[in-house]
């Protein structure tokens, strides 16, 4: 066996097993971008290595994974934020041309190159904290040309930076103005035209929707899911964010990879998710930013064995957040997740939420050699600090 690179003199949080999977005196070995050993240094395969890197006792975790973002969008809503601070209501802001439709207008007006350029600083902020895999949704174009442009721009980010990108088609995010009064017509366009086309061009890895009073009804989401499954795409759902429409149970019935937000999830929804193996993606940044007070049912999820992931929900309206470290801190502080749960939420369970459990998310032989190397004394520091980045180095695919 030829080994390309070995990281030695490290402490590992492999994220395998029930806890952090700690290995003192650990080493990681990599061949052609894949891990061939992650464990005690004594157990390294007796093979020559082209390069050895001394980690001087630093910690290595799997590269971080953000499994729910709206990273591609134009403009921002800082002015709207200011108006809200002065007491303006959501409706007043919408009437003044704000809200999701303002992001849609800006996004439609942009070229694919401009979409890529606008997203890169946000991606770089995440990468600077050890991110190696990211999910990116469409959903601010809301017509065929702009939704396709968003997905193409997301795919291009993978080539612009050393990072793995998973794309998600979120046409059912909001009703565009040209379909005002005809949501079923819009859903029909998504199902009959856009979803088959996107699948045919290989532009999306999954299909998502916003099941909410201000989004789409469960019946409309069901049509979107049926169309997605018909072309072989897995589904996921923004569910139970502002009210309980039983979206998570609907998603579970379609074998969804994840149901996301979930503040208003009930016991039946928890049970349905557990049964289907659907991951609960919690988004504490959105909870914080909109000053929500209803907590997701974390204890019930734990008891039922629902895997919990954490993500930024990076979007201009409800979570202008580009830090997975801060997301973990919020997961612990706001949702009372443990340190182990937070770390699992941005590694192993985030991988599972993307259907990538065999490829990334833990330090194990066969997985992609995606590493984050940290200047810390203990992994709890990654959850504990606010606004401090102890990343020493980041490795994507062994590089
Ligand atoms: N849930 C949210 O919180 C965001 N989208 C969604 O489905 C809001 C997006 C925006 O306001 O731009
Ligand atoms: Fe979202």
């Amino acid at each position: 066996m030829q080994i390309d690179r070995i990281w030695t003199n490290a402490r590992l949080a492999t994220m395998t097993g029930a806890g952090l999977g700690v290995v003192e005196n650990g080493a990681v070995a990599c061949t052609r971008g894949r891990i061939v050993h992650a464990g005690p240094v004594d157990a390294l395969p007796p093979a020559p290595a082209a390069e050895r890197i001394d980690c001087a006792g630093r910690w290595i975790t799997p590269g971080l994974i953000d499994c729910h973002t709206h990273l591609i969008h134009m403009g921002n809503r800082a002015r709207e934020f200011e108006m809200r601070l002065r007491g303006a209501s959501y409706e007043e802001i919408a009437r003044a041309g704000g809200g999701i439709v303002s992001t849609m207008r800006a996004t439609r007006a942009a070229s694919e190159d401009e979409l890529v350029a606008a997203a890169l600083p946000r991606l770089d902020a995440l990468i600077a904290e050890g991110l190696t895999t990211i999910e990116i949704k469409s959903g601010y174009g809301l017509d065929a040309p702009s939704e396709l442009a968003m997905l193409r721009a997301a795919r291009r980010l993978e080539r612009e930076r050393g990072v793995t990108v998973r794309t998600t088609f979120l046409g059912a995010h909001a009703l565009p103005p040209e379909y005002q009064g005809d949501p079923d017509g819009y859903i029909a366009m998504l199902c009959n035209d856009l979803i088959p086309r996107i699948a045919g061009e290989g532009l999306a890895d999954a299909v998502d929707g916003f099941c909410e009073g201000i989004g789409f009804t469960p019946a409309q989401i069901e049509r979107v899911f049926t169309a997605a499954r018909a072309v072989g795409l897995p589904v996921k759902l923004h569910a139970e964010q502002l009210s309980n429409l039983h979206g998570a149970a609907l998603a579970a019935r379609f074998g969804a990879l994840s149901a996301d937000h979930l503040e208003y999830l009930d016991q039946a929804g928890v049970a349905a998710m557990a049964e289907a193996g659907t991951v609960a993606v919690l988004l504490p940044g959105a909870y914080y930013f909109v000053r929500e007070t209803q907590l997701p049912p974390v204890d019930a999820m734990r008891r039922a064995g629902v895997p919990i992931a954490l993500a930024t929900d990076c979007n201009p309206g409800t979570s202008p957040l580009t830090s997975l470290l801060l997301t973990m801190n919020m997961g612990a502080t706001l949702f009372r997740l443990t340190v182990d749960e937070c770390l699992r939420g941005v590694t192993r369970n985030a991988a599972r939420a993307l259907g990538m459990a065999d490829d990334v998310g833990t330090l194990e032989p066969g997985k992609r050699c995606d590493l984050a190397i940290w200047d810390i004394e203990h992994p709890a520091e990654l959850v504990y600090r606010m606004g401090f980045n102890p990343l020493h180095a980041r490795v994507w695919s062994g590089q």
Side-chain angles (χ1 to χ4, degrees), residues 68 70 73 77 80 90 99-101 103-104 137 139-140 170 172-174 208-212 214-215 238-239 241-242 261 283 286 290 313 315-319:
H68 179 142
H70 308 252
H73 59 260
R77 310 240 287 272
E80 182 177 312
Y90 194 81
I100 204 163
V101 170
T103 302
M104 180 209 75
K137 302 176 195 297
Y140 285 117
L170 178 58
H173 190 197
D208 194 351
F210 186 29
C211 187
E212 195 58 68
I214 58 167
H238 287 68
Q241 180 185 6
L242 308 168
H261 287 287
L283 306 166
V290 305
D313 196 17
N315 81 68
T318 60
S319 190

Side-chain angles (χ1 to χ4, degrees), residues 256-342:
L257 291 170
S258 70
D260 305 33
H261 287 287
L262 303 175
E263 279 84 346
Y264 290 82
L265 183 67
D266 61 15
Q267 186 54 49
V270 172
M273 289 179 69
E275 170 86 29
T278 296
V279 177
V281 177
L282 302 184
L283 306 166
Y287 173 92
Y288 165 83
F289 196 78
V290 305
R291 307 182 79 226
E292 178 58 65
T293 54
Q294 169 86 23
L295 284 164
V298 168
D299 266 334
M301 290 172 187
R302 283 188 186 119
R303 277 196 302 275
V306 175
I308 298 172
L310 284 173
T312 62
D313 196 17
C314 175
N315 81 68
T318 60
S319 190
L321 171 61
T322 48
S323 169
L324 273 175
L325 292 175
L326 185 54
T327 299
M328 280 197 282
N329 178 270
M330 288 176 168
T333 307
L334 300 174
F335 295 167
R336 308 317 283 168
L337 297 180
T338 66
V339 164
D340 292 13
E341 285 171 332
C342 288

